[in-house]
Amino acid sequence: MAAPSQPQQATYDAIVIGAGIQGSFTAYHLAQRHRNTLLLEQFILPHSRGSSHGQSRITRSAYPQGHYARMMPDSFRSWQRLEAEAGTSLYRRMGLVLLGPAGDPELEGCRRSLGGGEDLDATTLAQRFPGFKLHAGEAAVWDGTGGVLFADRALRAVQEVFRRHGGTLRDGEKVLRIEPGAVLTVTTTAGVYRAPRLIITAGPWTGALLAPLGLRLPLQPLRINVYYWREKEPGTPSAGRTRPCFMTLGLSRAPHSIYGLPALEYPGLVKVCYHHGSPTDPDERDLAPPGAPHPNIDLLSSFIKSYLPMLEPQPAVVETCLYTNTPDGDFILDRHPKFSNIIIGAGFSGHGFKLAPVVGKLLCELSLDEEPSHSVAPFAITRFPGVLRAAL
C-alpha cells in the first residue's frame, strides 16, 4: 500500500488523517455511507509506532463511567458485524475479573454497569481460576462478556472492508500542512488532497497537526511498557485451564490500575501491565526514559507475588506502546471550535480500542452533521478552557 512516487492530486468527500483503529473505523463508516473517503497514514503499514498494534486488547461490558457502559453494547454488535464482513474471528470471550477494595466507587460503578454482576469471594475465585488470590478487605466482580480482541487482525479487517467499500488508503504519507476552508486542502509528502470535511485521528501526533490551526489540546503522549510474565506451570486450554482477563481498581499499591490477559501472544507468557507510563515524544519513543528504564517493574513484581503467584516474578519479554492521555482520561470527540468541518478524535487514554467501532461512527456522524448516535457531551473540547489560540 505504499504511496507511488509521483505527486497525487485528488478531491474526496472526506479525508481521515491517521490509520490506527479509530481513524480506520471512521473511514469505514464513511465509506459504508457511500462517501468517497481517503485514509492517510504517515508510516508504511503495518507498523508498531502508535497505539493500535499488538495481538490483543481487553474488551468488557463493565465500566465505572456510565457514558462508556452505555456505548459498549453497540460496540460488541459492531465488532460482530465486522467479523461477519471480514470473515474472520476478532474476539475471544474469556471473561474478566475485576479486583479492588470492597466498596471502592469504581468497582461499584462496574458492578452497576453489569446490572449487579457476579461477586466472587476468595474461595470461589481460587476454585474457578487457580492462581488468583484475593486478600482481606478486597472484592472481585465477574464480567462474563469480557475477553480479548485480536488487535492486529482487527485493524487489518476494518481497513480491508473499508477498501472493499471503495475507500482509498494511502500509507507512507506524512501530512505537512492543513489549509482550512469550505474545501480543506491537505498537503502530504506525496500529494495534495481536498475535501469538504476532515477528521483527525492521529494519536500522539494530533497535537502537532492542530497547533498550526490554533488549537492546543492538553494531550500527553506516554510511553507504556508492555510486560509478559512466564507461567510457572503453563496452562493447557484443552484441560479447561484458560485463565480470564483481569483488571484492578482502587488498589493503593496501583493507583493507575493493573491489567492482565491470558497467554495468547506468546505461549506460556501472561501479559500483565501497569496502566500508566512515562511522558514521551512520539517520534522518540524508542529512547528509554531518564532514570530507571522500567520504572514500574518493582510495582508489578510485588503485585504478581501477592496476587498471581502462578507467575514468575520477573518479566520474560518487554515491549512498548503509546498512550495519548487527556487530563481526565476521557476521549475528545468534537469539532474544531473555529473550523467546524474539522473533526477531532483524540486522547483515548489507553482504553479506546474496544470502543473504536462506536468512536468511528460518532466521528463519521459529526463530520456529516448528523445527530450523534450516543451523547458526545462528555467528550467536548470545551471542558478544557483556553485551548483555542491565534493560528500561527
Side-chain angles (χ1 to χ4, degrees):
M1 290 183 290
S5 58
Q6 69 271 22
Q8 298 290 310
Q9 295 191 36
T11 299
Y12 295 87
D13 295 329
I15 297 172
V16 181
I17 299 175
I21 196 64
Q22 313 294 350
S24 295
F25 261 113
T26 302
Y28 159 95
H29 283 289
L30 284 161
Q32 287 200 322
R33 292 166 184 261
H34 309 292
R35 295 324 198 268
N36 183 20
T37 304
L38 171 64
L39 177 58
L40 290 170
E41 170 55 48
Q42 66 173 321
F43 300 114
I44 299 295
L45 293 169
H47 71 83
S48 59
R49 300 297 304 275
S51 302
S52 296
H53 67 281
Q55 293 187 39
S56 60
R57 295 292 189 280
I58 290 176
T59 189
R60 54 190 162 108
S61 294
Y63 248 112
Q65 303 96 332
H67 46 278
Y68 295 120
R70 288 187 289 272
M71 293 162 69
M72 279 311 304
D74 190 1
S75 187
F76 272 106
R77 289 190 297 269
S78 297
W79 281 114
Q80 291 171 347
R81 190 178 308 120
L82 179 61
E83 284 184 317
E85 290 176 309
T88 188
S89 173
L90 302 176
Y91 160 65
R92 183 179 297 177
R93 182 170 174 165
M94 310 179 91
L96 171 75
V97 175
L98 297 140
L99 301 166
D104 175 78
E106 283 194 299
L107 188 62
E108 290 304 310
C110 286
R111 181 183 279 110
R112 286 193 298 273
S113 74
L114 295 169
E118 179 187 355
D119 293 331
L120 302 175
D121 60 25
T123 301
T124 304
L125 182 66
Q127 289 175 343
R128 191 181 298 185
F129 306 115
F132 275 91
K133 292 184 67 175
L134 198 61
H135 300 274
E138 295 175 347
V141 176
W142 173 248
D143 178 355
T145 70
V148 172
L149 290 168
F150 301 118
D152 285 340
R153 192 187 303 176
L155 187 61
R156 288 195 304 270
V158 69
Q159 291 171 352
E160 287 169 4
V161 175
F162 163 67
R163 291 198 304 272
R164 197 186 305 161
H165 283 280
T168 301
L169 172 56
R170 296 182 60 81
D171 63 349
E173 291 200 32
K174 183 179 177 64
V175 171
L176 302 176
R177 185 168 62 256
I178 298 169
E179 299 169 50
V183 176
L184 301 116
T185 301
V186 177
T187 302
T188 75
T189 49
V192 179
Y193 311 100
R194 295 177 177 85
R197 55 187 62 84
L198 171 68
I199 303 93
I200 298 175
T201 53
W205 292 273
T206 298
L209 289 173
L210 290 174
L213 300 173
L215 192 59
R216 298 188 183 276
L217 296 177
L219 298 172
Q220 177 60 69
L222 296 179
R223 181 182 190 268
I224 305 296
N225 287 320
V226 181
Y227 297 100
Y228 298 84
W229 311 75
R230 192 173 307 281
E231 295 177 308
K232 293 177 179 176
E233 297 180 12
T236 53
S238 60
R241 294 186 60 193
T242 300
R243 298 186 174 98
C245 306
F246 76 87
M247 286 177 54
T248 72
L249 296 165
L251 291 183
S252 59
R253 68 176 69 193
H256 295 285
S257 180
I258 294 171
Y259 66 91
L261 296 87
L264 293 173
E265 298 176 50
Y266 302 107
L269 301 183
V270 175
K271 182 192 287 189
V272 181
C273 307
Y274 192 43
H275 189 62
H276 195 58
S278 306
T280 190
D281 179 332
D283 291 317
E284 298 181 354
R285 58 167 286 185
D286 294 331
L287 297 177
H294 305 299
N296 302 314
I297 196 75
D298 291 341
L299 180 152
L300 286 169
S301 293
S302 175
F303 175 83
I304 282 170
K305 290 174 186 176
S306 183
Y307 288 85
L308 303 169
M310 76 286 194
L311 302 180
E312 298 288 350
Q314 292 298 318
V317 176
V318 181
E319 299 174 345
T320 61
C321 187
L322 288 177
Y323 286 4
T324 306
N325 281 24
T326 59
D328 57 12
D330 277 329
F331 308 160
I332 293 172
L333 309 174
D334 204 351
R335 296 179 175 87
H336 190 292
K338 185 176 179 181
F339 309 113
S340 61
N341 58 346
I342 298 178
I343 312 301
I344 301 159
F348 296 101
S349 303
H351 66 106
F353 199 101
K354 70 183 77 63
L355 285 156
V358 179
V359 166
K361 181 166 66 171
L362 290 170
L363 294 173
C364 168
E365 291 164 346
L366 286 171
S367 75
L368 298 175
D369 292 321
E370 297 178 356
E371 181 69 23
S373 50
H374 297 271
S375 172
V376 293
F379 314 119
I381 289 173
T382 52
R383 73 187 196 268
F384 305 118
V387 296
L388 187 61
R389 305 181 182 185
L392 299 179

